[in-house]
Amino acid sequence: MSSQPFYGSDYDALAAFDPDIAGVLLSELARIRGGLQLIASENLSSPAVLTALGSTLSNKYAEGYPGRRYYGGCSEVDKAENIAIERAKALFGADHANVQPHSGASANQAVYGAFLKPGETILAMSLPHGGHLTHGTKVSFSGKWFNAVHYGVDKETEDIDYAQVEALAKEHRPKVILAGGSAIPRLIDFEFFRRVADEIGAIFWVDAAHFIGLVAGGAIPSPVPHADVVSFTTHKVLRGPRSGAIVCKAEHATAIDKAVFPMMQGGPQMHTVAAKAVNFKECATPEYAAYAKQVIANARTLATSLAEHGIRPTTGGTDTHLSLHDLQGVGVTGKDAEARADAAGIVLNKNAIPFDPAPPSIASGIRVGTPCVTTQGMGTAEMVKIAELMATAITKGDADPDHEVSRKVRAEVTDLVTRYPAYPRP
Ligand code: DSN
């Protein structure tokens, strides 16, 4: 008899009832185990996190906040949310935490709701230069409902054009200045943004979705002391459940809470809130701090090694968990590189590079990250090998998995993931 205090993790029962979906759960696990996962925004969350996600807390409606719910029966989920809030505040040294956002986009929506009225102005990084869809692109609510002004990177350094940030801030006097994005390999100068925001009386918001895990592990400087509000996802380097969260200064606590619920969301997903609590506890350990440092060491080595194969990292390298590579020197598009790598068992994504001559659906670059392979225990020696395999697949390979090069690289990938398995069997 199992001592597990919950129900929901009975794979055999699921397989007996619904072999179609049970089969997908197994084949996805096999896919993860069978290849190298280099997508910079993904990670392999722990069995403890997955256990909380697969629990009966999923059933509970709990609109409101702990002690102030619109449903009965919230005594137990209140405990989970209070624990998650306290752990988030302690982990990030924040005055206030809201752990209810369903995702990074939901968290960002709430920040807009807290600080901006439709038509008001935000200054943010442009998507083609490394920003994010929710940072004011025309196809997103953020660009449809708000007046977004965008800064980019400097053509020479390929890092944030800080002079442009300051000039645009003074010209447009945005209500909110946003730093952060999805393809920024370098550290962001939060003190600079704070100063500019103060000079024009703007709110300073950091979307830390990509790098918050490195902050949690003490591997890079934190935006929390500088920013009015920091939104993030919990499933990237942080390695928690697929979700979002917000931390902010005490003076913004009420505005943020009201913007998450009832302005943008209904009932929180309490199983995910519990899983976030588990994750925040994991992130407070010395093991996690060592992991965060290794993620960066691995990313640096991967970027440098790819450069040695002619696959140029923008900005010359990385300070974080990801690097962005320009493939123009090897004459391959991002789209073809993604397909060729995939055929060889290496999962990554094509990505626009700054000033990209190709459309985003083709792209001239790839983005790679080390959160997953570092979780699997790989170190810098393995990164050198991965760079060699990537270079072979991208420059000599083919999108056909049966191509000789695809097969050859895949065999070496199999060797690596056999030595460093994802979700190792007990
Ligand atoms: N945050 C994006 C990524 O980096 O993959 C997805 O929205």
Side-chain angles (χ1 to χ4, degrees), residues 39-42 132-133 181-183 209-210 233 235-236 349 367:
I39 292 183
S41 47
E42 293 181 358
H132 189 256
L133 206 56
S182 285
H210 260 269
T233 52
H235 50 271
K236 297 188 173 82
N349 64 279
R367 186 188 66 166

Side-chain angles (χ1 to χ4, degrees), residues 105 108-109 112 116 120-128 131-151 176 178 180-181 205 207:
N108 289 354
Q109 221 170 26
Y112 281 95
L116 292 138
E120 288 186 327
T121 301
I122 179 166
L123 176 61
M125 187 139 178
S126 79
L127 179 64
H132 189 256
L133 206 56
T134 57
H135 295 185
T137 56
K138 282 290 169 214
V139 292
S140 143
F141 75 93
S142 57
K144 289 184 191 292
W145 298 341
F146 302 96
N147 176 39
V149 176
H150 285 121
Y151 58 88
V176 173
L178 170 55
W205 167 21
D207 180 345

Side-chain angles (χ1 to χ4, degrees), residues 144-228:
K144 289 184 191 292
W145 298 341
F146 302 96
N147 176 39
V149 176
H150 285 121
Y151 58 88
V153 300
D154 176 86
K155 201 154 193 170
E156 289 305 308
T157 64
E158 298 177 306
D159 195 8
I160 294 170
D161 186 340
Y162 288 97
Q164 187 189 32
V165 172
E166 184 156 8
L168 289 173
K170 286 181 176 160
E171 182 186 344
H172 295 278
R173 305 193 75 79
K175 190 128 181 242
V176 173
I177 300 181
L178 170 55
S182 285
I184 304 173
R186 295 299 183 178
L187 298 181
I188 297 170
D189 186 345
F190 303 125
E191 289 174 33
F192 169 87
F193 276 97
R194 175 78 267 169
R195 176 181 65 73
V196 173
D198 284 344
E199 279 178 26
I200 61 160
I203 292 287
F204 175 32
W205 167 21
V206 175
D207 180 345
H210 260 269
F211 58 84
I212 195 72
L214 303 175
V215 173
I220 63 169
S222 172
V224 174
H226 309 288
D228 291 284

Side-chain angles (χ1 to χ4, degrees), residues 38-41 182-183 210 322-324 348-349 351 365-369:
L38 296 179
I39 292 183
S41 47
S182 285
H210 260 269
L322 71 83
S323 54
L324 186 61
L348 47 78
N349 64 279
N351 214 100
I366 50 169
R367 186 188 66 166
V368 289

